[in-house]
């Protein structure tokens, strides 16, 4: 998509709210992460899940598309680190690409991407081209590359070489496991939550998450305060 205003200001971890049809049906926009920024071009990648993403997949090249964004105040923090681990699963792979590109040159990067099976593996070549310290691809059923869960490969490497940040985005069970591991091992960790969303701008409470960083727990909006949070600051 050509969108210079978005491309100029977007940060890794931010997302777009996309109107998927001209007719106003479905009414709610669909949240999709920013995958890649390249000049005036903003790229996103999505899986067709239901009605909304099916309609989105039917847009013709050259047509206009109504998008709100970039959204989300909680973004991945890009700065100099010594070693980082980036872990993603399924569609959670997409927001990690721009992050990885922006971290390149600032730190040693190990990337761990997990998928259910061979048919769902995505963006392997694109990550390879960035030039990483290490890229591990896992499938739950062993139909491609390493068999097992990406987190187990990450843990094994961290035991040998410490990291000073873990970045994660993926299905809830993966995020829960990464968060638990990071907290137990005292490793700073940023997680991106892909909650179901309604409005995408903090108006509907459709994306509430328990925030535990203050004195009293409270509910925050993933769409506004996130989607990226410090793992220690939210209960998932
Ligand atoms: C911040 C954010 C970023 C996202 N980035 C991407 C992305 O880069 N690429 C991508 O393919 N998808 C992404 N998603 C998920 C995407 O928004 C949903 O798949 C989409 O809204 C489904 O709409 P639909 O009308 O096609 O399906 P619906 O008819 O609304 O639902 C179809 C099925 O998908 C499930 N579903 C809907 N929303 C979600 C969700 N958020 N997480 C898990 N399951 C869901 C439903 O439970 C149902 O089973 C993101 C979600 C969020 C919140
Ligand atoms: S989606 Fe409406 S408040 Fe977050």
């Amino acid at each position: 998509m050509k969108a210079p205003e978005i491309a100029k200001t977007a940060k890794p971890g931010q997302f777009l709210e996309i109107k998927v049809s001209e007719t106003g049906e479905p009414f709610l926009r669909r949240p999709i992460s920013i995958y890649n920024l390249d000049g005036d071009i903003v790229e996103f990648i999505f899986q067709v899940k239901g009605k909304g993403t099916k309609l989105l997949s039917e847009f013709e090249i050259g047509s206009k598309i109504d998008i709100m964004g970039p959204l989300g105040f909680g973004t991945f923090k890009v700065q100099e680190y010594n070693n980082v681990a980036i872990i993603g699963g399924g569609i959670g792979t997409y927001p990690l690409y721009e992050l990885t590109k922006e971290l390149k040159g600032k730190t040693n990067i190990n990337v761990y991407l997990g998928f259910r099976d061979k048919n769902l593996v995505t963006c392997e070549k694109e990550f390879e081209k960035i030039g990483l310290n290490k890229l591990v691809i896992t499938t739950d059923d062993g139909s491609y590359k390493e068999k097992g869960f990406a987190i187990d490969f990450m843990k094994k490497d961290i035991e040998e070489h410490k990291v000073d940040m873990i970045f994660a985005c993926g299905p809830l069970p993966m995020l829960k496991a990464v968060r638990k591991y990071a907290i137990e091992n005292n490793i700073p960790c940023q997680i991106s939550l892909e909650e179901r969303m309604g409005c995408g701008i903090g108006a509907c409470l459709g994306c509430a998450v328990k925030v535990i960083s203050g004195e009293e727990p409270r509910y925050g909006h993933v769409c506004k305060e996130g989607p990226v949070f410090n793992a220690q600051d939210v209960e998932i």
Side-chain angles (χ1 to χ4, degrees):
M1 165 181 88
K2 191 169 174 190
E5 295 84 4
I6 296 178
K8 226 182 286 164
T9 57
K11 297 193 180 65
Q14 285 188 306
F15 66 98
L16 310 165
E17 277 277 72
I18 305 181
K19 193 172 166 190
V20 292
S21 81
E22 291 297 320
T23 63
E25 175 52 43
F27 174 67
L28 292 175
R29 290 166 182 263
R30 296 297 190 260
I32 301 289
S33 306
I34 292 171
Y35 161 71
N36 185 34
L37 300 169
D38 185 3
D40 285 352
I41 303 297
V42 177
E43 289 185 310
F44 55 89
I45 305 181
F46 61 95
Q47 254 178 35
V48 174
K49 278 265 175 91
K51 191 173 174 188
T53 41
K54 173 81 172 61
L55 285 166
L56 186 58
S57 73
E58 288 164 1
F59 272 77
E60 301 276 342
I61 291 174
S63 50
K64 284 198 173 164
I65 186 163
D66 180 338
I67 283 184
M68 276 180 359
L71 296 175
F73 289 103
T75 61
F76 288 120
K77 307 289 175 295
V78 176
Q79 61 183 62
E80 292 201 358
Y81 301 96
N82 292 319
N83 299 299
V84 302
I86 297 179
I87 178 162
I91 57 171
T93 300
Y94 301 130
L96 298 174
Y97 181 70
E98 182 61 29
L99 168 72
T100 309
K101 263 179 37 192
E102 293 200 17
L103 284 172
K104 173 74 186 161
K106 296 187 173 69
T107 174
N108 283 319
I109 310 171
N110 284 1
V111 174
Y112 306 84
L113 300 176
F115 304 92
R116 274 207 309 276
D117 61 48
K118 186 180 177 178
N119 296 323
L120 293 171
V121 175
T122 178
C123 297
E124 180 183 7
K125 294 273 168 302
E126 288 74 8
F127 274 90
E128 249 168 26
K129 271 190 216 145
I130 296 176
L132 304 165
N133 196 41
K134 184 171 192 175
L135 173 64
V136 178
I137 304 284
T138 67
T139 48
D140 299 356
D141 63 359
S143 53
Y144 188 69
K145 297 280 171 89
E146 305 289 349
K147 181 176 181 177
F149 293 134
I151 186 173
D152 295 325
F153 291 84
M154 181 188 80
K155 283 180 186 173
K156 200 162 155 276
D157 287 345
I158 293 179
E159 271 164 32
E160 284 164 31
H161 297 284
K162 274 173 95 175
V163 295
D164 37 17
M165 183 61 75
I166 299 174
F167 297 94
C169 186
L172 200 54
M174 172 192 261
L175 287 186
K176 282 185 177 195
V178 171
R179 174 180 179 273
K180 184 167 179 283
Y181 171 74
I183 291 174
E184 281 173 3
N185 290 278
N186 222 3
I187 304 170
C189 175
Q190 298 170 36
I191 53 176
S192 179
L193 303 177
E194 298 201 331
E195 284 297 324
R196 294 216 64 175
M197 285 184 184
C199 66
I201 52 166
C204 76
L205 281 178
C207 61
V209 66
K210 196 167 180 185
V211 179
I212 52 172
S213 53
E215 279 177 18
E216 291 285 327
R218 64 177 177 88
Y219 282 91
H221 297 127
V222 172
C223 66
K224 220 170 148 189
E225 291 179 48
V228 179
F229 292 87
N230 286 324
Q232 294 85 340
D233 293 350
V234 284
E235 204 172 275
I236 53 172

